[in-house]
Amino acid sequence: MKLLVYYFLIILTLNSCNKKNNHFAIVVHGGAGTILKDNMTNEMEKAYKQKLEEALNVGYSILKQNGKSVDAVEATIKILEDSELFNAGKGSVLSNNEEVEMDASIMTGDNLNAGAVSGIKKIKNPITLARKVMEESEHVFLSGSGAEDFAVSKGFKLIDNSNFITNNRLNSLKNIKKRESNTDNKFGTVGCVAIDKNGNITSGTSTGGMTNKKWNRIGDVPIIGAGTYANNQTCGISSTGWGEYFIRNVVAYDISAQIEYNKKSIKNAAKNTLKKVKELGGSGGVIGIDKNLNIIMDFNTEGMYRGYKKSNGDTAIEIYK
Ligand code: ASP
């Protein structure tokens, strides 16, 4: 009898392991803001969607081949950083003094390990540097030239800041200076959340920040809990939007905390948090996956570049509301 019980217990455990091991998902954003169909040509729309799809597919195939979510998130974000379309890496917006200053962070939900960098001017893929900080330093958050010294000590190549400057971003800076406005309503930050076959969740976010920023301004993106958060017990989140408001509302952690302490669904938790952001006067969006593979792509702006792909075949790539 005892043997029989053991036998059933083993079968049950194996079954639940198998269940866990068959499913995975990935979600990506390329920023939120006043993204209106009227301001978009068909070609531009196609280019954005294609790049999002390419990035999603790279991460998806890593997960499909039993890869880790941290590898999928890094690889997906690198594709978006290397594209001029998004405000990260090569497409980063310019600061007031016509330089690029990039921020990035990454977090793994199995061990709550995290890495972040800010004010990066000479590293092609800041997300890779953030991961390096997470995995090969005793710190969580490095900034500016110190972060770049760390990068060099780990074998990264430094490239001149001029390599990141595109005509498109120069024009945006000039326009914004003419309007004497400090802010821009387009947030092109990129982010990715993935859950792998082992149930490990990773979140990552990368940005050039906000056009015309001054005084080494740092947004929410490299701040763990604001721009990025991951916890296997709850969810993974990556934010995009007006960083100051996302910091003040501790957006990514606020969503996770509602799941942890109030047993909220990820959908309702994200709604509540974005409502708080809006009430303070901020705008933006979040993507996320919870431990049960529920996906959210929520925003309180006109649009958000976004997409997801799940192992059960569900997939979507969208831009507008
Ligand atoms: N959240 C970013 C920042 O404030 C901007 C963005 O999402 O595009 O730096």
Side-chain angles (χ1 to χ4, degrees):
M1 182 62 190
K2 223 178 181 180
L3 265 179
L4 211 63
V5 172
Y6 280 139
Y7 175 77
F8 278 118
L9 275 178
I10 289 168
I11 296 290
L12 260 178
T13 318
L14 283 178
N15 263 345
S16 68
C17 285
N18 273 343
K19 231 181 189 173
K20 198 175 175 188
N21 284 341
N22 280 329
H23 300 296
F24 55 93
I26 183 163
V27 59
V28 71
H29 73 73
T34 41
I35 309 165
L36 296 166
K37 196 161 177 60
D38 291 351
N39 301 336
M40 187 83 86
T41 63
N42 286 341
E43 291 73 49
M44 268 165 73
E45 193 176 310
K46 205 167 145 206
Y48 276 108
K49 285 188 165 171
Q50 268 175 359
K51 196 45 87 175
L52 287 171
E53 189 175 5
E54 179 191 337
L56 263 182
N57 283 340
V58 165
Y60 185 88
S61 66
I62 291 173
L63 298 170
K64 192 172 178 192
Q65 290 156 31
N66 304 322
K68 294 194 282 182
S69 57
V70 67
D71 291 325
V73 166
E74 183 193 352
T76 301
I77 290 182
K78 275 173 82 171
I79 304 267
L80 301 173
E81 285 179 338
D82 291 343
S83 160
E84 286 189 18
L85 292 174
F86 303 97
N87 173 18
K90 179 69 185 159
S92 289
V93 298
L94 304 186
S95 62
N96 182 264
N97 58 359
E98 293 187 11
E99 273 191 323
V100 159
E101 289 172 21
M102 298 169 286
D103 304 331
S105 67
I106 193 161
M107 182 165 189
T108 45
D110 53 336
N111 50 12
L112 304 189
N113 210 352
V117 291
S118 71
I120 299 303
K121 296 182 181 179
K122 297 177 181 166
I123 301 290
K124 183 167 168 276
N125 292 109
I127 194 68
T128 301
L129 183 55
R131 181 173 178 183
K132 219 25 143 200
V133 172
M134 173 171 78
E135 291 178 343
E136 294 184 29
S137 85
E138 54 186 311
H139 307 296
V140 167
F141 194 170
L142 300 180
S143 72
S145 58
E148 286 168 349
D149 289 346
F150 168 77
V152 169
S153 81
K154 295 292 174 187
F156 282 69
K157 258 202 336 231
L158 296 184
I159 56 175
D160 198 79
N161 199 257
S162 60
N163 286 296
F164 294 97
I165 300 192
T166 63
N167 284 336
N168 191 6
R169 299 305 190 197
L170 256 180
N171 288 338
S172 304
L173 179 66
K174 282 183 189 141
N175 287 338
I176 227 170
K177 280 184 172 171
K178 258 192 244 151
R179 292 202 319 252
E180 284 184 17
S181 142
N182 287 322
T183 57
D184 191 0
N185 289 330
K186 271 189 243 107
F187 310 115
T189 290
V190 305
C192 178
V193 180
I195 182 164
D196 61 31
K197 291 183 184 178
N198 289 319
N200 287 323
I201 302 175
T202 299
S203 305
T205 316
S206 181
T207 191
M210 289 179 96
T211 307
N212 201 27
K213 63 185 180 181
K214 294 178 189 160
W215 306 307
N216 299 123
R217 177 264 186 192
I218 299 168
D220 58 318
V221 167
I223 297 180
I224 297 302
T228 300
Y229 191 73
N231 182 339
N232 282 4
Q233 304 313 314
T234 56
C235 66
I237 299 289
S238 168
S239 313
T240 176
W242 197 337
E244 280 69 9
Y245 292 89
F246 279 67
I247 295 172
R248 289 164 61 197
N249 282 291
V250 203
V251 164
Y253 180 71
D254 193 57
I255 296 171
S256 169
Q258 290 176 68
I259 299 173
E260 184 173 357
Y261 299 118
N262 287 345
K263 308 291 171 238
K264 293 272 186 234
S265 68
I266 188 169
K267 193 169 168 224
N268 288 338
K271 282 250 160 320
N272 292 337
T273 305
L274 286 178
K275 191 166 163 256
K276 289 201 291 182
V277 169
K278 200 169 184 180
E279 278 163 9
L280 281 187
S283 56
V286 291
I287 54 164
I289 305 180
D290 72 10
K291 62 176 179 178
N292 300 315
L293 287 96
N294 294 305
I295 288 186
I296 50 144
M297 304 189 294
D298 201 358
F299 50 98
N300 58 26
T301 52
E302 301 294 338
M304 179 166 81
Y305 301 106
R306 62 198 188 277
Y308 71 88
K309 203 165 177 179
K310 284 170 104 165
S311 52
N312 68 1
D314 275 7
T315 184
I317 294 183
E318 287 159 6
I319 298 179
Y320 314 106
K321 240 181 207 154

